[in-house]
Amino acid sequence: MRQESAYLRSVHREGRIWNISVAVILLLVPVAVALIYRTMPDWHGFALGLLATAPMYWAVGAIETVTYVPMLGAGGSYLSFVTGNISNLKLPVALNALEQAGVSINSEEGEIVSTIAIAVSSIVTTLIILGVVLITPLTPLLNAPALAPAFAQILPALFGALGVVFISKNWKIAVAPVLLMLVLFIAIPALNAGTVGIMVPVGVLFTLGVSRILYKRGIL
Amino acid sequence: MEFNVNSPILFVVAGFAVAVVLAQSICFLIKAWRRARDLGMDMKKLGRTARTAAIFTIAPAAAIVISVITLSKDLGVPLPWLRLSVVGNLSYETIAATNAESAMGLTFGQVSSLTAQQYVTIAAVMTVSILIGIWLVPLIGERLLNGMITLENRDKKWGEIFSASMFIGMISAFIGYVFCDFSGIFRGDLSGLIPVCVMTVSALVMTALGLASKRKGLRVLADYALPVSLIAGMASAVPFTAWLG
């Protein structure tokens, strides 16, 4: 019977320390700016801005945590929830690495592969942003109108490639959720780029339900 | 001290936070790498995994840079640089900045200069709004992952199906999203076909590379299939947009 390994326990211990430290440092950024410039926030604006933003983010953030952690593994989760850009970068990177290595995220090898892929991706992203924004002024090139359509279509390009790999391997599982999501996204105008994050847990729960039925009936 | 959204001191403050996050990534990478060596994993294969992850990251990272540039028009470079290096993504950060600015009577995209107070308020709203994931993972992450281990111990096959179903559920939501403007074609607006065409190109390139990589001597294609498909899909968006947009 597999149990949580000493390695995994140490990842959780260190992950907690890192994430809580980063959270505190991030909270201290506006405080530091306020101290440097001897000012205070506009509390009225802060309350209104927070009221308009936080409830949705906190709800989505809580759902994302429950949904993405089992897919990212321990090390991958601590890193991804600190470095952000999960669905458009960290999760695809981890999925591709696991697929390439032929290991499951539930194994220790999978945990290691996911962590390495996400850590490398985070480092490269940070260095690219640092290099392009702060050192090399590539702004005109990246802002070129000719390239705008390419950057606007990054998610379709990403999930076209990922989809073909995972759906071809698990087509029995994929048929129902893909059809459901197609119907929902085509029929309901409110479902768009802004709401796709909310639909991820819906898709996951629906797929789990369908898979359970298929598994119990001996189809999977 | 006179306030400026691109003041060097703001670069120092943001740079410190980014450096801490970079250090976390490096520490986790070293830790995982050492554990892989201890377990006797194929280190060459892991090297390929790392290389593929690095190459794959370039195009999405370029998109993140564009997000930094977009937000920097209102907020200067340091704050968007920090927000998009740590925790954030473009849609979250734009909404948070828009809400914070409008709460103070400003309009996102039309701000010529900010006061220190406005800047601190916007930074505080963006930070407090987004921190839930960083706090929640330390609180419930271990319990969630131990639940996965228990599930697999009870029924290994169902544990594997469970993981695959989570991935498929996530991917199906994004495939649905690709079709979100599709219904526009019934009103004569063909632009909703652009993401569908891009996804198709990317899927076809991935399929072709996957099949080719099974041939002797072309195994290396499998390592670069995802980044190449991503770039091919993105590149195809340019002519598709000119045609259908």
Side-chain angles (χ1 to χ4, degrees):
Chain A
M1 183 182 282
R2 196 165 91 83
Q3 287 184 322
E4 191 184 37
S5 67
Y7 169 74
L8 268 180
R9 278 197 296 277
S10 75
V11 169
H12 283 297
R13 192 173 53 245
E14 290 171 25
R16 276 190 204 104
I17 294 167
W18 274 109
N19 280 38
I20 291 168
S21 305
V22 170
V24 171
I25 289 169
L26 289 180
L27 283 171
L28 286 176
V29 167
V31 175
V33 178
L35 288 173
I36 291 165
Y37 288 99
R38 296 174 191 279
T39 186
M40 290 289 277
D42 171 350
W43 291 113
H44 179 69
F46 175 73
L48 284 179
L50 202 63
L51 201 65
T53 316
M56 183 188 76
Y57 281 10
W58 289 350
V60 171
I63 294 167
E64 280 186 345
T65 308
V66 176
T67 312
Y68 289 147
V69 166
M71 299 190 220
L72 293 163
S77 295
Y78 287 106
L79 281 179
S80 297
F81 279 89
V82 161
T83 55
N85 289 294
I86 299 178
S87 60
N88 60 329
L89 180 54
K90 306 298 162 35
L91 194 53
V93 155
L95 285 181
N96 187 54
L98 291 166
E99 180 65 25
Q100 236 187 324
V103 289
S104 156
I105 188 63
N106 294 331
S107 65
E108 192 162 331
E109 288 79 4
E111 163 69 32
I112 288 166
V113 165
S114 168
T115 304
I116 289 174
I118 291 170
V120 167
S121 177
S122 303
I123 294 166
V124 170
T125 306
T126 308
L127 294 180
I128 287 176
I129 296 176
L130 189 71
V132 176
V133 175
L134 303 180
I135 300 165
T136 320
L138 281 178
T139 307
L141 176 67
L142 289 171
N143 257 346
L147 288 181
F151 288 112
Q153 299 299 337
I154 211 161
L155 283 178
L158 184 53
F159 283 94
L162 271 183
V164 81
V165 174
F166 281 87
I167 291 172
S168 63
K169 284 193 170 173
N170 304 282
W171 66 270
K172 286 181 188 168
I173 298 175
V175 171
V178 169
L179 283 176
L180 175 77
M181 287 297 152
L182 286 179
V183 169
L184 290 178
F185 273 90
I186 291 171
I188 304 173
L191 295 179
N192 50 40
T195 48
V196 65
I198 297 164
M199 293 309 287
V200 170
V202 175
V204 169
L205 285 175
F206 179 77
T207 313
L208 286 172
V210 170
S211 296
R212 188 68 188 168
I213 293 167
L214 295 176
Y215 179 61
K216 281 286 178 191
R217 292 188 178 176
I219 297 170
L220 292 179
Chain B
M1 194 188 294
E2 199 176 324
F3 179 76
N4 179 317
V5 289
N6 284 312
S7 159
I9 191 74
L10 296 179
F11 278 96
V12 173
V13 172
F16 173 72
V18 172
V20 173
V21 173
L22 191 60
Q24 181 181 7
S25 299
I26 293 168
C27 285
F28 272 63
L29 177 62
I30 293 170
K31 189 179 176 70
W33 198 266
R34 284 185 178 153
R35 181 62 182 160
R37 211 174 40 205
D38 293 345
L39 286 176
M41 288 175 73
D42 183 344
M43 301 311 284
K44 274 191 182 165
K45 208 170 172 181
L46 273 184
R48 285 208 303 271
T49 299
R51 205 166 45 241
T52 307
I55 293 168
F56 169 76
T57 300
I58 293 170
I64 295 168
V65 168
I66 293 171
S67 309
V68 175
I69 295 165
T70 306
L71 287 170
S72 69
K73 286 164 191 160
D74 274 31
L75 305 173
V77 173
L79 185 58
W81 170 42
L82 172 66
R83 300 302 320 142
L84 288 154
S85 298
V86 186
V87 195
N89 69 36
L90 177 63
S91 57
Y92 284 1
E93 301 307 338
T94 309
I95 293 168
T98 305
N99 287 340
E101 287 184 3
S102 69
M104 292 181 292
L106 303 168
T107 305
F108 182 77
Q110 294 171 23
V111 176
S112 53
S113 69
L114 287 172
T115 65
Q117 186 185 46
Q118 288 168 334
Y119 188 86
V120 168
T121 307
I122 292 167
V125 169
M126 290 171 88
T127 306
V128 176
S129 298
I130 200 83
L131 278 183
I132 186 90
I134 297 191
W135 289 108
L136 264 185
V137 176
L139 286 176
I140 63 170
E142 189 169 14
R143 220 172 302 168
L144 277 173
L145 290 166
N146 281 339
M148 293 297 290
I149 293 175
T150 309
L151 190 79
E152 204 169 80
N153 283 338
R154 262 193 225 144
D155 183 344
K156 192 166 178 8
K157 191 177 177 195
W158 170 240
E160 285 165 5
I161 293 170
F162 192 96
S163 291
S165 300
M166 293 196 85
F167 293 142
I168 293 288
M170 190 266 295
I171 289 169
S172 64
F174 280 96
I175 289 175
Y177 151 72
V178 169
F179 286 79
C180 69
D181 295 323
F182 188 79
S183 60
I185 63 168
F186 303 116
R187 297 185 300 272
D189 177 8
L190 297 180
S191 63
L193 281 175
I194 297 168
V196 180
C197 294
V198 169
M199 183 177 78
T200 307
V201 169
S202 173
L204 287 174
V205 173
M206 189 75 179
T207 306
L209 291 174
L211 292 173
S213 70
K214 290 190 167 58
R215 300 180 75 168
K216 204 178 172 189
L218 293 175
R219 170 72 187 83
V220 70
L221 284 178
D223 294 342
Y224 302 102
L226 187 62
V228 170
S229 306
L230 175 65
I231 301 288
M234 287 171 69
S236 76
V238 177
F240 281 132
T241 304
W243 177 36
L244 301 165

